[in-house]
Amino acid sequence: MHNSRDNMCYQSSPDEIVISIQTGKDITSVEIQWGDPFEAGIMGGAEAWSGKTEKLTDVLELENHLWWSIRLKPPYKRCKYFFTIESRDERLCYFEDGFYGENELHIPGKRMQCFFFPWMNSSDFFETPKWVEDAVWYQIFPERFARVGEYEPHLKPWKSEKIRGFNYKLRYGGNLKGVTSRLEYLHNLGITAIYFNPIFKSPTDHKYNIDDYYEIDEEFGTKDDFRELCSKAHSLGIKIMLDMVLNHSGINFPPFADLMKNGERSKYRDWYMVNKFPITLNKETRDGRFYSFAFTQFMPKLNTNNPEVMDYFAGVCEYWVKQFGVDGLRFDVANEVSHKFLKLIRSRVKAINPDVYLLAEIWHDSTQWLRGDEFDSIMNYPLTETISGFWLNKALSSKQLEQGINRCAVMYPEQSSRVMFNLLDSHDTERLYYRCGHDEDIFFQHLTLLFSLYGSPCIYYGTEIMLDGAHDPDCRRCMPWDEIDSGKYDGIMQQVKTLIKARKENPELKSLNTEFVGSGDNRHIRMIKDKRVLVAVNADSTPMKLEYSDIIFARGLNANTLECGGCAICRV
């Protein structure tokens, strides 16, 4: 299978293209014949076109296929090509219109339908912010991270306790001043970028039903508080990313409030997707009276096909980037927002600062959003499930983990892969320590892989102390600052710090060049990064022998033996 677009044929630099083809595992060799389309004259002429032939030697194994790739530098910015594919007993040529035997290539008058990369236009080249490749993210749920200020009667005493059942009015009082007071803590941990869950005016603890997109929620503080936070963070080399909720609003957002009041006469009639008037709020929206996020009546769905809506919210994005120097925007439920709207946002925000990171919350194949005119990258939940699934399903082998990681690595152009937002838990999932069955060894094995793969790793607040928590809302517990400050978690935190430091000081770990060694039916994982760094994880029931020169990070490594449950990063 091959398409001359998306992850199979794309421009990776101003003068280079990457071409990939997926085959069955019976294929033993793939060659590409390529050259300039006009090398033999104009198309349609009598001249016979031929290019030069090269073997594809970069091969990754997927579950049922092989993925072959090659990098080419077309001297005249355009490329025409076809493949020759060989198995043990057959050799075929693969063109845009199908397969041909070599004897069919020279039929008089037959013009073969080659694949094309027509022209390497500079304005079409998909660039992503370089700083994200080196980022180590920390996700903060503001209501539960930290508080500075007097406690008010409606607030619960700050305590890292289990949260039972949904209560959107539950308040512990986390605020922006609290975050600012802990920026040195994050800096010392090694964090270089913060992803905030929504901070805009909203009546709930999670703030995903926004009533005013231009105001900080008073429970969190003021714009001056946020400006101070951004200024101090930037002085420490920490970037800031805000959560933008543009798929739906809150019911008190003025356009929806006007629509509730005035019905079909409202000037905001087309800002939402209402199918029945008057609008009622008495149950979930499965009856279709209006569309909302996940049938939640308090989150009415915005009509992002409407030019007025598009212009308004593009202005919201511009405001926070321009006025506060925000470095990134994460888009909630990004896969339900119109593509036209997202293209407009990218154009307007990147005009202010080309280095702003535009991140999508999409949990599935996101190819159609990563073509260079919408998002830079996505929250890499496919990788999350690939890694965690390996430990949840003990029947999986190291070979199957390799295949899963390879699948994630080739899903998108490498520009997006290098700035993937890699995570193992978030405000939407159970916490990592909980998912690992409260097993410290498995917990650190997960983190070792997270910090050893392409993309930018993110840890959810509290992961550095193995904070516990089941599914939402229990994954949103308060940070136990008294215990942290007392030194209770110093041992765990030091190991996380070492992993973060390893990531920063060994650029091989972020490389896409990953070679799996010795994968098979066992659960011994060995990855060689850029031929210089060994990443080893022993999820098997037998010890694992390693050869290395220097230890960068290790748990359960005794001499040349990695014990069961161990993990290590070493120089080779």
Side-chain angles (χ1 to χ4, degrees):
M1 176 186 176
H2 175 76
N3 291 308
S4 53
R5 63 181 183 272
D6 296 329
N7 60 331
M8 285 189 156
C9 183
Y10 62 90
Q11 191 175 344
S12 59
S13 74
D15 61 351
E16 181 181 73
I17 59 176
V18 174
I19 295 177
S20 301
I21 180 173
Q22 179 177 287
T23 76
K25 293 187 179 181
D26 57 323
I27 299 303
T28 57
S29 172
V30 176
E31 295 176 342
I32 187 171
Q33 192 163 327
W34 70 281
D36 189 88
F38 302 103
E39 204 159 3
I42 63 170
M43 286 178 278
E47 301 85 1
W49 177 86
S50 66
K52 61 180 178 179
T53 301
E54 294 187 51
K55 281 188 175 293
L56 277 65
T57 56
D58 184 1
V59 189
L60 293 178
E61 182 178 350
L62 309 181
E63 182 178 5
N64 298 305
H65 300 92
L66 298 176
W67 185 276
W68 310 70
S69 299
I70 192 169
R71 296 175 183 275
L72 303 176
K73 292 187 176 181
Y76 302 105
K77 298 286 188 181
R78 58 201 170 209
C79 185
K80 175 180 179 179
Y81 61 97
F82 68 90
F83 301 96
T84 302
I85 305 172
E86 190 171 354
S87 68
R88 290 183 180 85
D89 55 6
E90 192 173 18
R91 182 177 171 89
L92 291 173
C93 296
Y94 179 33
F95 289 82
E96 194 174 69
D97 62 339
F99 296 93
Y100 291 85
E102 290 186 274
N103 61 326
E104 298 177 272
L105 302 185
H106 308 292
I107 298 174
K110 171 70 175 175
R111 282 190 289 270
M112 308 306 295
Q113 298 295 300
C114 291
F115 295 100
F116 279 85
F117 193 99
W119 190 265
M120 300 167 71
N121 287 298
S122 59
S123 62
D124 295 333
F125 173 46
F126 182 15
E127 290 190 89
T128 52
K130 293 290 291 183
W131 64 265
V132 182
E133 297 180 30
D134 300 316
V136 177
W137 293 93
Y138 191 89
Q139 181 188 350
I140 290 178
F141 189 79
E143 217 285 313
R144 307 286 157 76
F145 180 67
R147 176 174 178 82
V148 166
E150 295 295 324
Y151 273 85
E152 299 172 18
H154 71 285
L155 296 178
K156 287 198 68 174
W158 193 271
K159 184 179 180 183
S160 188
E161 59 190 343
K162 185 176 181 63
I163 298 175
R164 303 176 187 276
F166 290 99
N167 177 3
Y168 298 128
K169 295 182 179 180
L170 180 65
R171 297 292 191 276
Y172 290 89
N175 56 22
L176 295 178
K177 285 184 178 293
V179 178
T180 303
S181 73
R182 294 293 177 172
L183 286 175
E184 291 283 356
Y185 164 88
L186 297 178
H187 178 65
N188 292 334
L189 187 62
I191 298 303
T192 64
I194 298 173
Y195 154 44
F196 281 100
N197 289 111
I199 61 173
F200 308 127
K201 185 172 178 59
S202 169
T204 56
D205 58 341
H206 56 70
K207 310 300 180 191
Y208 279 97
N209 52 330
I210 296 172
D211 293 340
D212 192 332
Y213 289 81
Y214 282 98
E215 291 296 333
I216 304 289
D217 194 283
E218 60 185 12
E219 294 178 341
F220 293 160
T222 66
K223 288 181 179 177
D224 285 340
D225 293 336
F226 183 59
R227 187 171 279 108
E228 180 187 1
L229 189 160
C230 290
S231 177
K232 184 172 181 181
H234 287 153
S235 73
L236 294 171
I238 298 175
K239 305 282 190 181
I240 300 294
M241 180 166 69
L242 292 182
D243 209 332
M244 307 304 295
V245 188
L246 309 185
N247 173 69
H248 51 271
S249 75
I251 59 173
N252 296 318
F253 180 48
F256 191 78
D258 187 274
L259 190 57
M260 287 276 294
K261 178 181 178 181
N262 296 311
E264 292 183 272
R265 303 188 311 277
S266 171
K267 65 180 180 178
Y268 299 107
R269 170 66 182 85
D270 293 327
W271 276 52
Y272 291 88
M273 301 182 180
V274 181
N275 300 313
K276 183 179 179 181
F277 287 98
I279 298 173
T280 57
L281 297 175
N282 54 13
K283 59 181 178 179
E284 62 180 14
T285 62
R286 290 179 189 271
D287 59 3
R289 64 191 189 279
F290 64 88
Y291 293 119
S292 66
F293 168 68
F295 304 119
T296 305
Q297 63 177 336
F298 300 111
M299 296 183 179
K301 188 172 175 62
L302 288 155
N303 180 10
T304 56
N305 308 286
N306 182 337
E308 291 182 6
V309 173
M310 288 191 266
D311 180 66
Y312 179 88
F313 286 103
V316 168
C317 295
E318 289 175 316
Y319 176 79
W320 293 100
V321 170
K322 193 170 185 179
Q323 298 299 320
F324 296 87
V326 167
D327 307 284
L329 301 174
R330 179 263 192 188
F331 293 81
D332 187 58
V333 200
N335 55 345
E336 293 189 23
V337 176
S338 77
H339 289 284
K340 188 174 182 179
F341 179 34
L342 296 173
K343 289 176 172 62
L344 175 68
I345 288 178
R346 184 179 184 89
S347 174
R348 287 175 54 168
V349 170
K350 294 282 188 176
I352 298 172
N353 180 4
D355 275 340
V356 169
Y357 180 47
L358 299 181
L359 175 69
E361 183 214 9
I362 302 177
W363 293 54
H364 53 80
D365 184 344
S366 305
T367 300
Q368 59 184 306
W369 291 272
L370 296 178
R371 289 174 170 150
D373 54 357
E374 296 183 26
F375 294 111
D376 292 313
S377 201
I378 62 161
M379 300 181 78
N380 201 356
Y381 280 108
L383 182 65
T384 306
E385 298 309 319
T386 296
I387 294 174
S388 290
F390 178 73
W391 274 274
L392 293 173
N393 183 356
K394 305 299 184 187
L396 293 178
S397 67
S398 58
K399 174 59 70 175
Q400 288 170 300
L401 178 65
E402 172 190 345
Q403 295 164 349
I405 290 175
N406 285 344
R407 170 185 172 270
C408 294
V410 302
M411 287 178 75
Y412 311 113
E414 62 184 44
Q415 297 97 304
S416 285
S417 294
R418 287 197 298 264
V419 297
M420 275 287 153
F421 188 91
N422 293 338
L423 68 165
L424 293 172
D425 54 0
S426 73
H427 66 291
D428 284 325
T429 73
E430 71 274 37
R431 282 189 169 271
L432 177 60
Y433 187 51
Y434 180 91
R435 182 181 276 204
C436 293
H438 304 110
D439 187 309
E440 184 175 325
D441 288 337
I442 295 176
F443 173 86
F444 275 103
Q445 288 179 327
H446 276 70
L447 287 181
T448 297
L449 288 181
L450 177 71
F451 282 93
S452 301
L453 292 170
Y454 66 91
S456 54
C458 176
I459 59 175
Y460 187 33
Y461 78 98
T463 295
E464 71 273 23
I465 60 167
M466 296 196 305
L467 189 61
D468 199 8
H471 295 272
D472 175 16
D474 191 39
C475 58
R476 303 172 181 182
R477 299 183 187 184
C478 294
M479 280 283 277
W481 288 112
D482 288 345
E483 295 177 350
I484 293 171
D485 293 340
S486 72
K488 177 179 178 179
Y489 300 106
D490 284 358
I492 298 167
M493 285 179 60
Q494 186 55 51
Q495 293 178 76
V496 176
K497 283 184 180 181
T498 303
L499 275 172
I500 293 174
K501 183 180 179 183
R503 174 75 175 196
K504 291 181 174 180
E505 295 182 354
N506 298 275
E508 296 91 346
L509 293 178
K510 68 179 183 180
S511 172
L512 281 163
N513 185 2
T514 302
E515 178 187 1
F516 287 85
V517 179
S519 297
D521 293 335
N522 58 50
R523 288 172 62 85
H524 291 162
I525 304 162
R526 294 181 181 86
M527 300 189 305
I528 304 293
K529 305 286 297 189
D530 268 353
K531 303 186 184 302
R532 292 188 292 269
V533 174
L534 167 67
V535 180
V537 173
N538 188 354
D540 207 299
S541 58
T542 60
M544 181 177 175
K545 293 296 182 183
L546 299 181
E547 294 183 5
Y548 60 90
S549 57
D550 301 306
I551 298 174
I552 299 171
F553 169 83
R555 284 173 54 92
L557 181 59
N558 298 313
N560 291 94
T561 300
L562 187 63
E563 303 296 344
C564 303
C567 48
I569 303 174
C570 305
R571 283 270 162 192
V572 294

